[in-house]
Amino acid sequence: MEVILPFDPLERASETEKVVVDKGKRKYYRVRATGFYGGIVTADAVGCCFLCAYCWNLGRNVHPETAGEFLAAEEVAGRLLATAQRKGLNQLRISGAEPIIGLESFKHLLNILEVISKKAPWVKFILETNGLLLGSDETLARELAGFRGLAVRVSLKAGNKEKFEKITGARADFFNYPWQALINLNEAGARFWPAVVVEFFTRQEISDLKNFLNRNHITVAIEEEELLHYPFVENNLKKRGCLSV
């Protein structure tokens, strides 16, 4: 897929979904157990509406047509649960890409959640999202709120529009969408929290985020994560001019 920065991420989401979703199936390239969140089983997908400079899966997301295999929701849920049983874990997630890039991928995600909630209602599912689609369509948050074992982690990419555009490759005018996702999730009664990479947020911007949460009556903790400095991540950040913003 051709990439010209900056891009309209909603248009990219639509075009990417055509590549990675087919007849209810979505592209994944592995299922694995990892140490994040104290131990979790992860289905790594391809295809994202952002192209973050620090993303460890950037290459596959730039060219989703070259990676992965199409799996039905039942297959994904089955592999996640089988690995969880084998490893003695009770947390699941999708990572490496954006789970929600359109209505078809959203339906695929809902089907995964439905299978898991029926077969293993005690399992926790952490939905890692950049919040773009959840911010653009409030009805999606209401549908997610119905799953008891679901917690939504919204990754805020930057504290201002300029950094947002450099880091994600998406146009600066889409900066507010992930923040709106927090409002939509809160109003829907979903379980969620925002996460920030501390290298890309000043202390003032963290304070601004806290004020935003307070103004909108959102009482959740902010997760602060540190950047993983892989060599290719450093190179991508330098190319985008992110290390000096």
Side-chain angles (χ1 to χ4, degrees):
M1 295 177 64
E2 184 180 2
V3 180
I4 299 176
L5 306 180
F7 52 81
D8 179 326
L10 290 177
E11 289 183 2
R12 179 170 178 80
S14 178
E15 291 303 311
T16 301
E17 189 174 61
K18 295 174 185 177
V19 175
V20 303
V21 180
D22 182 45
K23 298 177 182 177
K25 297 183 178 182
R26 175 152 187 180
K27 275 192 164 189
Y28 297 84
Y29 69 96
R30 65 180 174 184
V31 173
R32 61 192 171 119
T34 68
F36 295 103
Y37 306 105
I40 193 167
V41 179
T42 303
D44 286 318
V46 293
C48 192
C49 42
F50 290 170
L51 293 175
C52 296
Y54 61 79
C55 178
W56 58 269
N57 201 32
L58 181 60
R60 295 183 185 89
N61 288 333
V62 171
H63 299 290
E65 69 278 6
T66 66
E69 63 174 324
F70 287 101
L71 298 177
E74 294 79 7
E75 294 177 276
V76 180
R79 293 188 188 187
L80 285 168
L81 290 172
T83 305
Q85 184 177 28
R86 188 169 67 252
K87 297 292 185 177
L89 299 172
N90 65 355
Q91 296 187 110
L92 312 174
R93 67 170 176 163
I94 295 172
S95 191
E98 173 54 43
I100 308 171
I101 51 176
L103 293 182
E104 292 304 310
S105 57
F106 187 63
K107 291 177 184 176
H108 173 83
L109 170 65
L110 292 181
N111 288 338
I112 292 173
L113 295 175
E114 287 171 0
V115 172
I116 292 170
S117 65
K118 290 178 181 178
K119 291 188 175 182
W122 59 88
V123 168
K124 180 180 180 181
F125 194 101
I126 298 176
L127 173 60
E128 296 181 338
T129 177
N130 60 37
L132 180 74
L133 272 292
L134 290 177
S136 68
D137 186 350
E138 63 185 18
T139 65
L140 304 185
R142 291 200 293 268
E143 291 196 59
L144 290 176
F147 290 93
R148 186 179 62 179
L150 177 68
V152 184
R153 178 187 186 269
V154 181
S155 177
L156 302 179
K157 305 303 182 179
N160 65 53
K161 292 182 178 181
E162 178 188 3
K163 283 191 287 188
F164 171 84
E165 184 169 290
K166 286 185 177 182
I167 290 167
T168 67
R171 293 201 326 246
D173 51 305
F174 288 90
F175 168 77
N176 291 324
Y177 280 63
W179 298 60
Q180 181 63 42
L182 300 175
I183 296 175
N184 293 346
L185 288 164
N186 190 57
E187 292 181 348
R191 293 178 57 206
F192 70 98
W193 74 92
V196 303
V197 176
V198 293
E199 282 87 347
F200 303 123
F201 278 76
T202 65
R203 297 321 300 176
Q204 181 58 53
E205 288 167 346
I206 294 290
S207 179
D208 292 342
L209 173 56
K210 291 178 179 178
N211 290 336
F212 169 85
L213 297 175
N214 289 334
R215 286 196 309 272
N216 290 284
H217 310 289
I218 300 174
T219 55
V220 295
I222 301 169
E223 177 190 341
E224 297 187 12
E225 61 174 326
E226 295 184 355
L227 182 67
L228 296 176
H229 290 269
Y230 300 117
F232 66 88
V233 168
E234 295 280 354
N235 290 334
N236 290 336
L237 290 169
K238 289 177 182 177
K239 288 178 182 178
R240 297 267 189 97
C242 297
L243 293 180
S244 61
V245 296

